[in-house]
Amino acid sequence: MPTVEVSDLADGDFLLDVREDDEWQAGHAEGALHIPISDFVARYGELTEAAPQDGKVNVICRSGGRSAQVAMYLVQQGIDAVNVDGGMQVWAAAGRPVVNAEGQSGFVL
C-alpha cells in the first residue's frame, strides 16, 4: 500500500477524508473532500469530479486503517492514491490546522 507522511504533504495537496460525519464535524483538514467510507461507493462520482486529473489523491482517516482500504480500492480503479500514514492523529500532532464544521478550531475525534 503506497503511503505518504503528513510532513510530506504540501498546502494545497488534494486530501480525501473518509471518516464518518461526527468525526468530520469535530475536526478536519481545511479544504479536504469529505466522503465517509460508509458512503464511499455510492458517492464515488464526487471524488472523480473533484480530484485533480493528473494529481495524487491523499486519503486520510483517524489513524490510517480505513483510509488504507479506500486508497487500495482507488489504486485498483487506476487512480493515483496514497494512504496518509497515521491519519488525522498525526496531522494534528504535527501542528497542522484542524477546523470544525463551523470553520473554528477543531479536534480529532
Side-chain angles (χ1 to χ4, degrees):
M1 165 60 21
T3 61
V4 64
E5 302 292 325
V6 167
S7 59
D8 293 331
L9 292 172
D11 290 343
D13 283 351
F14 187 81
L15 196 62
L16 170 65
D17 190 324
V18 297
R19 296 174 304 142
E20 295 304 320
D21 288 334
D22 59 335
E23 295 172 288
W24 169 265
Q25 290 170 4
H28 57 270
E30 193 168 13
L33 174 65
H34 178 229
I35 303 176
I37 192 170
S38 59
D39 296 339
F40 189 75
V41 173
R43 294 177 56 190
Y44 180 73
E46 291 177 43
L47 170 66
T48 58
E49 287 180 21
Q53 294 303 313
D54 295 324
K56 189 175 300 294
V57 175
N58 301 286
V59 188
I60 197 165
C61 67
R62 183 173 187 266
S63 61
R66 291 171 286 178
S67 54
Q69 293 174 28
V70 171
M72 181 148 337
Y73 173 80
L74 293 173
V75 167
Q76 292 170 345
Q77 304 308 307
I79 293 175
D80 185 10
V82 295
N83 185 35
V84 178
D85 194 37
M88 285 299 297
Q89 291 179 318
V90 170
W91 178 278
R96 302 293 287 264
V98 177
V99 297
N100 65 19
E102 290 78 41
Q104 306 299 314
S105 181
F107 62 94
V108 178
L109 183 62

